[in-house]
């Protein structure tokens, strides 16, 4: 009998580049945080759907492999203009049986406005600073994660 299977690879879903960084908490012993940095160009509208799926899959794989206690998604070099499925990547730290990890997101000029409208609505006048877990620089995101780890640890 002839098989209709073909080989597939996650890397076929997207051209987004993913880099991982792990470091210890400076304030809570035996706790690690992970930065997952996504860069490249997210497809416009529904053309980005496979990018979102890829980003979530690569994030979930990293959390499974390294088991950090908190995660920072670094989108500062991600060119993103439009596409609701990017919200999938925010679900990286939730699964069926475990609580969500402390999470922060870093945005930069290539995605800042589009992320603002994604999270707050296209007609919103609010700025990203109204979302406590979204930041424009890494140091502020790390400080936020440290605070969240302290809350969890106490």
């Amino acid at each position: 009998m002839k098989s209709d299977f073909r080989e597939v690879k996650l890397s076929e879903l997207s051209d987004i580049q993913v880099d991982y960084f792990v470091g210890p908490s400076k304030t809570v012993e035996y706790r690690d945080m992970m930065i997952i940095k996504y860069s490249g160009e997210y497809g416009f509208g529904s053309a980005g759907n496979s990018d979102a799926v890829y980003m979530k899959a690569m994030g979930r794989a990293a959390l499974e492999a390294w088991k950090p206690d908190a995660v920072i998604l670094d989108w500062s070099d991600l060119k993103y203009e439009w596409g609701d499925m990017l919200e999938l990547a925010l679900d990286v730290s939730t699964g069926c049986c475990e609580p969500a990890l402390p999470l922060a997101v870093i945005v930069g000029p290539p995605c800042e406005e589009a992320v603002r409208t994604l999270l707050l609505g296209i007609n919103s006048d609010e700025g990203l600073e109204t979302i406590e877990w979204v930041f424009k620089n890494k140091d502020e995101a790390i400080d936020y994660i440290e605070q969240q780890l302290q809350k969890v640890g106490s």
Side-chain angles (χ1 to χ4, degrees), residues 16-143:
I16 300 291
Q17 179 69 33
V18 185
D19 297 298
Y20 306 102
F21 306 89
V22 177
S25 168
K26 303 286 189 230
T27 62
V28 182
E29 286 187 319
Y30 310 112
R31 298 286 183 238
D32 290 326
M33 61 182 78
M34 171 174 267
I35 297 174
I36 305 173
K37 183 171 181 63
Y38 299 100
S39 53
E41 189 167 343
Y42 184 95
F44 188 84
S46 62
N49 291 359
S50 62
D51 292 323
V53 169
Y54 177 75
M55 291 168 69
K56 180 175 181 173
M58 298 306 286
R60 288 288 304 151
L63 297 185
E64 186 64 30
W66 287 284
K67 307 244 186 259
D69 300 291
V71 64
I72 298 171
L73 303 177
D74 184 348
W75 295 349
S76 60
D77 291 329
L78 180 69
K79 183 178 180 200
Y80 165 70
E81 296 179 51
W82 189 258
D84 291 346
M85 285 202 44
L86 181 61
E87 285 183 307
L88 273 180
L90 295 173
D91 272 342
V92 69
S93 74
T94 58
C96 71
C97 305
E98 76 256 6
L101 297 175
L103 172 79
V105 175
I106 304 168
V107 297
C111 70
E112 183 179 336
E113 178 58 16
V115 169
R116 187 190 72 76
T117 61
L118 175 71
L119 298 177
L120 296 170
I122 194 160
N123 295 319
S124 175
D125 293 330
E126 292 181 81
L128 279 172
E129 62 279 351
T130 63
I131 304 172
E132 73 171 331
W133 45 271
V134 177
F135 302 92
K136 295 180 184 177
N137 74 63
K138 183 168 64 172
D139 291 337
E140 289 178 0
I142 291 170
D143 289 345

Side-chain angles (χ1 to χ4, degrees), residues 28-29 31 146-154:
V28 182
E29 286 187 319
R31 298 286 183 238
E146 290 285 6
Q147 292 170 10
Q148 298 308 304
L149 286 173
Q150 290 169 12
K151 288 179 187 177
V152 171
S154 56

